[in-house]
Amino acid sequence: MASSPCGNSNFDSGLEIKTRSVEQTLIPLVSQITTLINHKDKPKKSERTQAAIHRVGQAVSVAVGRFVTVGEAIATENQELKDEMGQACFEARRAGDAIAQLTDVGSALPAQSDGLVTVFSDRTAMVKAARLLLSSVTKVLVLADRIVIKQIIASRNKVLVTLDHLERVSTFQEFVQIFSQFGNEMVEFAHLTGDRQNDLKDEKKKARMAAARAVLEKCTMMLLTASKTCLRHPDCESARINKDAVFHRMRCALEQVIEIVTEARSCGENKILPVSIYNGIKDFKSSVECLRENLNSLSPQSMGSQLEALVERTEDFTDSAYTSHEQRQAILGLCQLARQDTQQLVQSWAEAQSVHAKEAPEDMEVAILKTCQSVSDLRRELHKVAVIRASDLLKVHGEQLPLRALKAAGAEGNLDAVAEYSRTLTEQKEQLVENCRLLCHVSGTEPLEITCIHAEETFHVIGPQIISAAQTLALHPSSKIAKENLEVFCEAWDSQLCDMALLLREINDVFEGRRGDKRSYLSLPRPGKHSANLKTAKAVKLDAEEQTSLAKLGLELRLLSSDVDTEVEKWEEQEHDIVRQSQSLASMAYNMYLFTRGEGLLKTTLDLFHQAEVLSEEGLQLCSSLRTFSTQLVDEEKSVVMTEMEKMVALCQQLQMGAKTPVQGKTATFQKVDSSIQTTRGILTVVLSLLPPCNKLTRKYKSERSSLGSPQNWREKQDASTPVKEEGALNNKNSNFGAKSLEQHMAGLNLLESK
């Protein structure tokens, strides 16, 4: 019982903990119970220790009592869980009472001659009560979690019903009315699933959930324009095909979300993760290295089959029409080298077994190292091929030549030209789809593999949708809605290219040994410190249409924050003020990007404006550091830094004033959100332009100091002149987002009663 439940997610109740909120809720309870049980091994205790244990026991009992009260209220509201929840609450209350009795001071024996008291002698009873308490509390939490799942299912069902109505409408008036309802339902579904995604422990499920939610987010705007186009041109076949594809994709994404939250098995899940070359190499190397400890861990035939299966997967690279001759020859050469090294290993292995060696001899150890090195070289070459091709494709597609040509041809009503440029787009689509498949092979983690598969499916679907939208416009060149519809699908294509650029960067991070995940920056200000002027402001969430409008701006923010992180990693002095403050700005900007997707810590517009205010303060701190830094520079160098710094001061002040300015109404609030994010983008652009020259100058002066042997430490001088920064709310990670207690967690669940 002294160990945390989080290491073993199965208690006596046999229930598995699948969400972080349940896990975090149990941690303080386990800590308190562990304290009680550990003290059981010391029957003699001072009165002070006895009183402390009594307080812990009573605190556990009181917390459990409140916890059970909320659990029972939830059971009353949800009849289908009433019996199970009631039984779990009864067991939890009984266990809490037992612990209170076992730690009751009144049950202690009189003091001994040495002044100590012998108490809590019934260790077995305490362990039994602790086990019962943990299993019953876990069961209550998991049952309450089912209600959250039930909410998501109910929300999905509402969306599906409205989706069916939208698909069958025949008039604009009816469509507008139902789409308004649909938008509200999608916002509710987006927030429920976003919270669920953040709460999931399984990274693969989180990645699948993120992919499904991304589809729903992008398809909402497509559904609006595709449906309007179909209503405007009811006899147009290409408009109908375009609309049907959007509705089908939305239904598939909704179904995938439910499969994830209910853990339903489907034929789609079986194909979600094909075996990648990266995993094949990892498994092969593991098998080879196991021979060091056990010469009989596998057979030579098994090792040979494993390698051949691995080589067979490289055919996705070598059989591609887009792989150059040099790349193909390099891959085939490394495959042959891996075969030769493996054959040499098998021979050394057979010799070792013939003399009944108990461990790998020296020649076999060398063969093991050579085999592992050859497959690692193969992986490196495959990674290089996939990444270089992806980078080249992104450069070519960034010009958007086929999309521009399709828009122009459609607007002119030129069906022949639309057909010609459609073939060009289809070829580009096939290249992107194939490249996503290659990136999946070298991605390095299962969540990134899932993201690659999502990208592949997205390009595969959006390509034909752009073509059908262009055909519709060509048939009706004067139609404004058909033109708008094509524009929306082209923007979705562009958005997916941005996502692919980010995916490529994360794959490189993993390959180079850096985490591909962005750290969370818990920087929401403490109540009262930054929000005095916003006390009466209304905290609202963005609806689906507003999220879609901000999607491109949000992606730009994410790219910039990633670029800033890449630049600061090049600095030798990672503790430099400029580095730390730039990282902080990038992290806060990333939080704002997540807000545009309905994810992350910023849940409402009020949260976003608070974050913008904190970001502006951090930006001004960076300006102060840059000003100090510039005092070490000569005139020309100083001029470059100061010019950019002045731009950033103006932007930070603009962001600060905008965040503090109260607004009323939905439109004004959205404009303020848009302005805040655009200004933040401007700040990060300036930071990104400053980091390389500042890094170069820092190295230059460091080199000069080393060569001159200057007695004055330039870094110390800089630190001495930099004003002390109040970390305050920026580093207060426990004030708002610490682990929740039992009562807090269940109080949150109690909100279900009002829904």
Side-chain angles (χ1 to χ4, degrees), residues 592-609:
M592 295 171 81
Y593 153 73
L594 290 177
F595 172 82
T596 66
R597 295 176 59 89
E599 301 171 6
L601 298 170
L602 310 178
K603 301 297 184 185
T604 67
T605 52
L606 195 55
D607 293 339
L608 179 81
F609 301 147

Side-chain angles (χ1 to χ4, degrees), residues 153-169 174-189 220 223 227 243 247 250-251 254:
I153 294 171
S155 179
R156 186 282 307 258
N157 291 341
K158 283 197 298 183
V159 169
L160 276 178
V161 169
T162 311
L163 200 61
D164 290 340
H165 290 163
L166 273 177
E167 196 169 21
R168 295 195 299 268
V169 297
E174 186 183 6
F175 174 79
V176 170
Q177 183 180 1
I178 297 176
F179 189 82
S180 176
Q181 177 187 342
F182 175 76
N184 292 331
E185 290 170 354
M186 280 299 295
V187 169
E188 179 191 0
F189 187 72
T220 300
L223 183 144
S227 297
K243 171 189 161 184
F247 275 87
M250 286 201 79
R251 288 192 175 97
L254 288 165

Side-chain angles (χ1 to χ4, degrees), residues 429-497:
K429 178 207 72 177
E430 293 301 329
Q431 290 179 9
L432 288 165
V433 165
E434 183 184 273
N435 192 239
C436 289
R437 202 172 296 134
L438 300 188
L439 287 174
C440 183
H441 274 304
V442 300
S443 56
T445 70
E446 288 183 322
L448 287 178
E449 285 178 31
I450 291 169
T451 307
C452 289
I453 293 168
H454 166 66
E456 177 187 341
E457 292 172 347
T458 301
F459 284 123
H460 186 75
V461 171
I462 292 183
Q465 288 179 311
I466 291 174
I467 293 170
S468 62
Q471 290 169 344
T472 303
L473 179 59
L475 291 169
H476 307 279
S478 61
S479 172
K480 290 183 180 179
I481 182 58
K483 184 178 180 180
E484 180 189 358
N485 188 47
L486 176 57
E487 190 68 42
V488 165
F489 281 95
C490 289
E491 286 177 1
W493 177 274
D494 185 45
S495 172
Q496 189 56 48
L497 287 174

Side-chain angles (χ1 to χ4, degrees), residues 628-654:
T628 302
F629 174 77
S630 68
T631 61
Q632 319 298 322
L633 309 178
V634 297
D635 291 345
E636 186 177 345
E637 296 167 343
K638 183 175 182 178
S639 175
V640 172
V641 174
M642 292 299 290
T643 300
E644 293 301 307
M645 187 207 73
E646 287 168 4
K647 291 181 188 176
M648 187 156 64
V649 169
L651 287 167
C652 289
Q653 290 173 344
Q654 178 184 336

Side-chain angles (χ1 to χ4, degrees), residues 71 74-75 81-90 140 143-144 147:
I74 291 175
L81 297 178
K82 186 173 182 179
D83 292 341
E84 282 185 276
M85 183 73 89
Q87 181 62 29
C89 288
F90 172 77
V140 171
L143 288 171
I147 300 169

